[in-house]
């Protein structure tokens, strides 16, 4: 198993059987991610140093406009894709095996959880994992302490209110909140 094979399986949404080669490779990536996030979180870094560490974590380009306040946690790192002018606030947890895409200009509040994995409902297969991506559009604002679950797309310009649990797609230019998150109103433009 290599990184390309792993990412292909995750991005195709293949079920990961507990103890399989794919599952074991997932653990290897988790160890690498913990090493890099420990470095990110262990001492002060300039914005430029954080971008270098995020490039090392994700193995993808990180634009000079990206900004993040640690601590930051992820158990993979290799399936995160970040646009330009993105800000991630302190305490966020990204479970990115299933894929996380963050569009240009998006703001991620304190302690946001983005979870792309789910377990099998059948108790006999509970250790199996099903990945699905999270896609965050452009100019989205996700409020503090929100959770976004697997398979969710958040449309351009939308707002997720603080503390929301988003289990369904969010239409562009809308505000959602609550548990589970529901439509509140459309975004007002000046």
């Amino acid at each position: 198993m290599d990184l390309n094979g792993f990412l292909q399986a995750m991005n195709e949404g293949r079920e990961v059987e507990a103890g399989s080669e794919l599952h074991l490779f997932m653990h290897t990536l988790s160890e690498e991610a913990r090493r890099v996030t420990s470095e990110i979180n262990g001492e002060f870094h300039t914005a430029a140093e954080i971008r270098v560490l995020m490039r090392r974590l994700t193995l993808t380009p990180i634009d000079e406009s990206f900004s993040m306040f640690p601590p930051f946690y992820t158990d993979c790192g290799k399936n995160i894709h970040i646009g330009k002018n993105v800000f991630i606030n302190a305490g966020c947890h990204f479970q990115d095996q299933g894929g996380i895409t963050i569009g240009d200009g998006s703001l991620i509040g304190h302690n946001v959880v983005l979870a792309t994995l789910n377990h099998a409902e059948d108790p006999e297969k509970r250790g199996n994992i099903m990945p699905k991506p999270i896609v965050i559009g452009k100019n989205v604002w996700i409020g503090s302490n929100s959770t976004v679950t697997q398979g969710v797309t958040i449309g351009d310009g939308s707002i997720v209110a603080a503390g929301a649990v988003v289990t369904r797609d969010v239409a562009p230019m809308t505000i959602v909140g609550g548990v589970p998150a529901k439509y509140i109103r459309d975004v007002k433009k000046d």
Side-chain angles (χ1 to χ4, degrees), residues 77-133:
K78 304 302 185 263
N79 213 359
I80 299 172
H81 309 279
I82 300 171
K84 296 178 181 177
N85 296 305
V86 168
F87 174 68
I88 299 172
N89 218 325
C92 291
H93 294 252
F94 288 14
Q95 181 191 57
D96 66 286
Q97 289 90 337
I100 294 172
T101 301
I102 304 173
D104 296 347
S106 288
L107 308 172
I108 312 295
H110 287 94
N111 301 315
V112 167
V113 174
L114 303 179
T116 67
L117 299 179
N118 208 349
H119 289 276
E121 185 174 335
D122 180 348
E124 302 286 325
K125 298 180 180 179
R126 188 66 43 85
N128 292 3
I129 300 168
M130 279 70 72
K132 289 184 186 171

Side-chain angles (χ1 to χ4, degrees), residues 3 6-7 10 25-37 40 53-62 72-82 93-101 114 116-117:
L3 181 58
F6 171 79
L7 291 174
M10 294 296 101
F25 191 78
M26 188 180 284
H27 285 282
T28 300
L29 291 177
S30 291
E31 288 178 7
E32 291 176 26
R34 286 195 321 266
R35 261 193 288 286
V36 178
T37 56
I40 290 170
L53 289 164
M54 286 299 286
R55 285 181 193 112
R56 197 169 103 208
L57 176 67
T58 64
L59 300 179
T60 63
I62 301 292
F72 174 77
Y73 305 95
T74 184
D75 54 2
C76 181
K78 304 302 185 263
N79 213 359
I80 299 172
H81 309 279
I82 300 171
H93 294 252
F94 288 14
Q95 181 191 57
D96 66 286
Q97 289 90 337
I100 294 172
T101 301
L114 303 179
T116 67
L117 299 179

